Amino acid sequence: MDAAAGRFVYLLGMLAVGVGARSLGLLDEHRRDRLNALAFYVVLPSLIFVSTYDRALATLLSPELVFGVFVVLFATVGLAWLIHRRRSRTDRRGVAVVQSYHSNLGYLGLPLVAATFGPDATATAGLLLGLVTLTQVPVTVWVLVTVADAEVSVLDQVRELVTNPVLIALALGIVVAWFGLGVPAAVVTPLSLVGELALPVALILVGSALELDQSIVDPTATASVVALKLCWMPLAAWLTFSTLGVDSAVFTASVFMLGMPTAVSTFVYATELGGDAEFASLNVFATTLASVGTSFVLILLLG
């Protein structure tokens, strides 16, 4: 209980640092972009590599894990479509569906797992990050294109996935682990130190991006997104992976990662593919703030 409360206070505190840094002008858009680039190209890849390179991935990357992720993800997509299908504004309909399942795995999920649940759960979380990203990004593009009838370059989307530094680091870690290749301590030690920055950097970035415009508030739609993303999705993961009988590390990482708030990247997709960008920003704000409480509950339950 004390450890979980400590994580809860730490999470709140770092989010507050991000909000304060933006409010005081210390973290303006230019500096936030540079910090984001540091996290995306250096910190997160370092964390993922050191979390996977020496793990028994054959036991972690199981058919049960892949099947369970697909069940939870597509069940949530289907349920979100049913709930939001009658919304009159098509630009909000697509965004609401997407933000009900598209999880913030890189900036919040993986760093929180690494800071809380131990090395095996962290290795599983790294695998989940790659598996879910490769699945939810194409689904998100398809949903937004279908609803908004936007034009999108499939080649550009594939290129972004292939050159994603997080996925490259995951692939490298899997190759090293699978073939039992040795990595010198002189390489692992600095990468581990850099990877420890993932959680505070991620929380500061998320906090600095939290903004609320009351003029575009749609309480019913936003409440539905929050309920699906932070209540239904981790519950579905809990039931699914309990039924599949996976080991404790896989169960813990899967439930926690799939219970993360809506990814900030959904705002970018909404902007590029004809969705309501302001509504998307509001939902990122709402799910991220609400996840402070739900993450605390999940840490208590999964402890």
Side-chain angles (χ1 to χ4, degrees):
M1 178 66 179
D2 290 341
R7 294 294 177 195
F8 178 73
V9 172
Y10 179 76
L11 196 155
L12 272 178
M14 296 310 294
L15 285 174
V17 168
V19 173
R22 186 198 71 231
S23 300
L24 295 173
L26 300 176
L27 199 57
D28 56 19
E29 184 176 354
H30 175 67
R31 290 171 180 165
R32 188 164 62 237
D33 288 344
R34 294 179 66 178
L35 186 60
N36 183 75
L38 176 67
F40 187 64
Y41 289 101
V42 179
V43 177
L44 284 175
S46 298
L47 174 60
I48 288 174
F49 179 78
V50 298
S51 299
T52 55
Y53 83 97
D54 62 346
R55 298 290 156 191
L57 298 182
T59 60
L60 295 175
L61 187 59
S62 62
E64 290 82 4
L65 175 63
V66 177
F67 178 73
V69 166
F70 285 166
V71 167
V72 176
L73 182 62
F74 287 106
T76 306
V77 172
L79 183 58
W81 193 281
L82 286 174
I83 290 175
H84 298 297
R85 72 187 188 283
R86 298 189 183 279
R87 303 206 176 278
S88 57
R89 292 184 53 172
T90 57
D91 58 344
R92 287 195 175 183
R93 187 189 311 156
V95 169
V97 172
V98 164
Q99 294 191 310
S100 297
Y101 68 81
H102 197 121
S103 304
N104 190 339
L105 303 181
Y107 282 145
L108 283 183
L110 180 62
L112 277 171
V113 170
T116 308
F117 295 116
D120 285 340
T122 304
T124 302
L127 295 175
L128 275 165
L129 173 59
L131 177 62
V132 175
T133 299
L134 288 171
T135 306
Q136 71 181 6
V137 170
V139 173
T140 291
V141 172
W142 177 79
V143 169
L144 290 174
V145 169
T146 300
V147 173
D149 197 25
E151 295 183 3
V152 61
S153 171
V154 175
L155 183 61
D156 287 344
Q157 296 300 318
V158 172
R159 186 183 297 113
E160 286 187 13
L161 282 175
V162 173
T163 59
N164 187 313
V166 172
L167 297 181
I168 291 173
L170 175 63
L172 183 60
I174 289 174
V175 169
V176 171
W178 201 272
F179 293 100
L181 304 178
V183 180
V187 174
V188 174
T189 300
L191 288 179
S192 298
L193 293 174
V194 172
E196 290 178 1
L197 297 173
L199 181 57
V201 169
L203 291 173
I204 290 172
L205 279 169
V206 171
S208 68
L210 293 179
E211 296 186 62
L212 177 62
D213 183 355
Q214 295 183 356
S215 66
I216 48 89
V217 171
D218 185 341
T220 302
T222 297
S224 298
V225 170
V226 171
L228 284 168
K229 187 70 209 68
L230 298 180
C231 299
W232 156 259
M233 206 164 182
L235 176 61
W238 191 295
L239 295 174
T240 299
F241 288 101
S242 294
T243 303
L244 293 173
V246 297
D247 66 36
S248 60
V250 173
F251 179 83
T252 297
S254 300
V255 173
F256 194 81
M257 290 282 278
L258 293 172
M260 286 295 95
T262 300
V264 179
S265 61
T266 57
F267 169 79
V268 178
Y269 288 115
T271 302
E272 293 181 350
L273 301 176
D276 186 337
E278 292 181 331
F279 177 64
S281 177
L282 171 65
N283 290 337
V284 171
F285 177 92
T287 58
T288 301
L289 284 189
S291 73
V292 175
T294 58
S295 297
F296 177 64
V297 171
L298 285 176
I299 289 172
L300 284 177
L301 295 175
L302 297 169

